[in-house]
Amino acid sequence: MAKTVAQEFKKGLWDEIPPFRLVLGLCPVLAVTTTAENGLGMGLATTFVLVCSNMLVSLLRNNIPSRIRVPCFIIIIATFVILVELLMQAFAYGLFLELGIFIPLIVVNCLVLGRSEAFASKNKFVPSLADGLGMGIGFTLSLGVLGAVRESLGTGMISGVKVFGPSFEPFEFMVQAPGAFVALGLLLCVMNIIGKK
Amino acid sequence: MREMVRMVATLTILAAAAGGLLATVKTTTAERIEQAVLDYVQGPAVMSIMEDVSNDPLEDRFALTIDNEERDFFIGKIDGAPRIVALEGKASGYGGDIGVMVGIDIETGEIVGIGITTHSETPGVGSRAESDVRFLTSFKGIPVREQDKIYIGEDDGDISNIGGATVTARGVCTAVRRAGEMYKNYESEIKTQVEAFAG
């Protein structure tokens, strides 16, 4: 069942959208989505790593002995993660302070390793690029939406702009850890209702 | 055997390439990162200490190597003459190291103010050390040489405690004492460096 490049790209946006359909990479999904901006920043950082590692793994897939493929993937992924961390420190230090420890933790995000193992190591360069890009954008959108839901309900604002009327009383717990689970559960529920039709 | 060699070779080449790439990026971004840390971490703390200085303390700074570590010193001028020097001390708090910028009046040797640079204290509890005015201002005016005063009240010192965050408050006191210690031990070097900024 050969899929077209466009299909490989599109599946990450809905059919296999990472946090909601594959339910992969939940640690950052729950931890950094206190605001829409943090969610998007984390998503973009992950997308960069995902696209780069997918491309490189796909290019090297015939040269990597299968018994040591996982250590090789980890080296590749870790390299790009440190690259992102350095670049973020140099050009977006404010975001780096917010995301902090979760940037190095992209290394152990099972979504990134999962795509290398399940897709890029078996497919050609272009489909792997499309897969990484689609999954990454899907991940970014999910984090952005989750962040926006939590930020708006938890603080009544998105990036400093009030979204509800003046009588709105913020649910403060939405920006704390339990709120992450509640928001994720509600979004999963909405996704399933839409998906059934 | 051949497979073994191939595995070792693959990993070695991959790791070497990764190392080389990262070393290159690290050197090329080092300067920008230093600037970013200055703007985001040390900058706000320095500016909160030096309220009515006539210069830009982030511009007028020098570095000394103390205990194999390069440390930045920021100079605040009052009426054109260097008067305040700010340096950073570190100590462990409740959740890791706390960095504290300490401003010292070089003529009287008194603390003019402190500002927290980095910390990983519990949000809403220890993190109040950043903004608790009573706590922060209680450092003001203490001569940096009288180290036994830089303890919280419970430890027979002059510093107001932060309710519910004693460990953090103690950590900040230790960091301030360490900065004071450093200032005391290197006072002549610091003063020579500061004089270069006069006039």
Side-chain angles (χ1 to χ4, degrees):
Chain A
M1 50 166 239
K3 285 186 187 166
T4 63
V5 173
Q7 279 171 323
E8 296 295 0
F9 175 72
K10 250 169 58 190
K11 72 173 191 285
L13 299 184
W14 185 262
D15 290 341
E16 295 179 23
I17 188 165
F20 299 128
R21 290 280 187 228
L22 305 180
V23 200
L24 277 182
L26 284 191
C27 173
V29 170
L30 296 171
V32 302
T33 52
T34 48
T35 69
E37 202 185 318
N38 285 358
L40 287 176
M42 183 70 194
L44 289 177
T46 312
T47 304
F48 175 82
V49 174
L50 197 54
V51 170
C52 293
S53 63
N54 253 15
M55 290 194 301
L56 203 60
V57 166
S58 167
L59 282 177
L60 297 175
R61 69 185 188 283
N62 296 326
N63 299 318
I64 295 176
S66 70
R67 281 169 64 188
I68 54 158
R69 65 186 190 285
V70 174
C72 290
F73 297 164
I74 292 287
I75 292 180
I76 292 171
I77 295 166
T79 308
F80 287 118
V81 169
I82 300 171
L83 205 64
V84 167
E85 194 183 3
L86 286 171
L87 292 175
M88 202 179 260
Q89 282 182 346
F91 298 103
Y93 203 86
L95 189 61
F96 171 76
L97 285 181
E98 288 289 326
L99 299 178
I101 183 69
F102 292 101
I103 294 297
L105 282 180
I106 297 174
V107 177
V108 288
N109 188 326
C110 44
L111 173 65
V112 183
L113 184 62
R115 294 327 290 173
S116 291
E117 166 74 14
F119 195 91
S121 64
K122 301 185 185 93
N123 285 282
K124 288 203 179 97
F125 180 76
V126 178
S128 297
L129 173 67
D131 175 79
L133 207 56
M135 287 285 167
I137 292 173
F139 189 70
T140 308
L141 286 177
S142 316
L143 259 67
V145 169
L146 197 56
V149 168
R150 289 182 63 195
E151 189 181 7
S152 56
L153 292 177
T155 65
M157 294 186 280
I158 289 183
S159 299
V161 182
K162 276 204 174 356
V163 283
F164 297 109
S167 58
F168 177 75
E169 192 68 44
F171 304 95
E172 215 167 83
F173 90 102
M174 285 306 280
V175 289
Q176 288 158 4
F181 288 95
V182 173
L184 180 69
L186 290 174
L187 282 179
L188 272 172
C189 169
V190 172
M191 295 275 300
N192 280 339
I193 291 172
I194 300 172
K196 269 209 176 125
K197 281 176 187 166
Chain B
M1 189 60 206
R2 245 180 63 217
E3 205 200 339
M4 186 79 184
V5 172
R6 215 180 129 219
M7 290 198 294
V8 172
T10 314
L11 271 180
T12 311
I13 294 169
L14 206 56
L21 174 70
L22 288 179
T24 320
V25 176
K26 183 146 181 106
T27 16
T28 44
T29 53
E31 207 169 297
R32 276 207 71 110
I33 292 177
E34 199 181 321
Q35 185 61 42
V37 172
L38 212 57
D39 289 346
Y40 281 91
V41 182
Q42 297 173 314
V46 171
M47 295 319 282
S48 76
I49 296 168
M50 311 208 185
E51 278 159 349
D52 22 54
V53 294
S54 53
N55 65 327
D56 178 5
L58 297 183
E59 205 51 49
D60 292 335
R61 65 191 156 96
F62 61 92
L64 286 179
T65 308
I66 295 172
D67 298 334
N68 296 321
E69 214 181 308
E70 194 169 278
R71 291 173 196 271
D72 285 318
F73 293 80
F74 302 89
I75 296 169
K77 290 180 183 174
I78 291 177
D79 299 328
R83 185 70 196 269
I84 304 166
V85 66
L87 68 160
E88 195 180 3
K90 280 200 165 120
S92 47
Y94 190 76
D97 269 359
I98 309 176
V100 185
M101 191 62 74
V102 183
I104 299 167
D105 185 317
I106 51 174
E107 275 174 35
T108 61
E110 284 174 1
I111 295 175
V112 291
I114 68 162
I116 312 289
T117 49
T118 53
H119 75 86
S120 38
E121 301 303 290
T122 321
V125 187
S127 71
R128 280 180 295 151
E130 276 182 311
S131 53
D132 189 321
V133 178
R134 215 166 74 91
F135 172 70
L136 291 174
T137 50
S138 65
F139 286 91
K140 251 182 208 171
I142 297 182
V144 78
R145 288 169 175 285
E146 293 174 32
Q147 297 243 322
D148 51 340
K149 285 192 178 169
I150 313 172
Y151 282 90
I152 52 170
E154 278 83 343
D155 300 336
D156 303 320
D158 283 0
I159 307 301
S160 315
N161 198 355
I162 311 167
T166 306
V167 180
T168 307
R170 283 199 175 118
V172 174
C173 288
T174 313
V176 174
R177 284 199 305 275
R178 285 192 184 152
E181 193 78 18
M182 209 148 50
Y183 178 79
K184 216 168 67 183
N185 294 343
Y186 292 85
E187 195 168 1
S188 56
E189 281 101 321
I190 292 170
K191 283 192 169 161
T192 333
Q193 290 277 355
V194 169
E195 267 162 34
F197 288 87

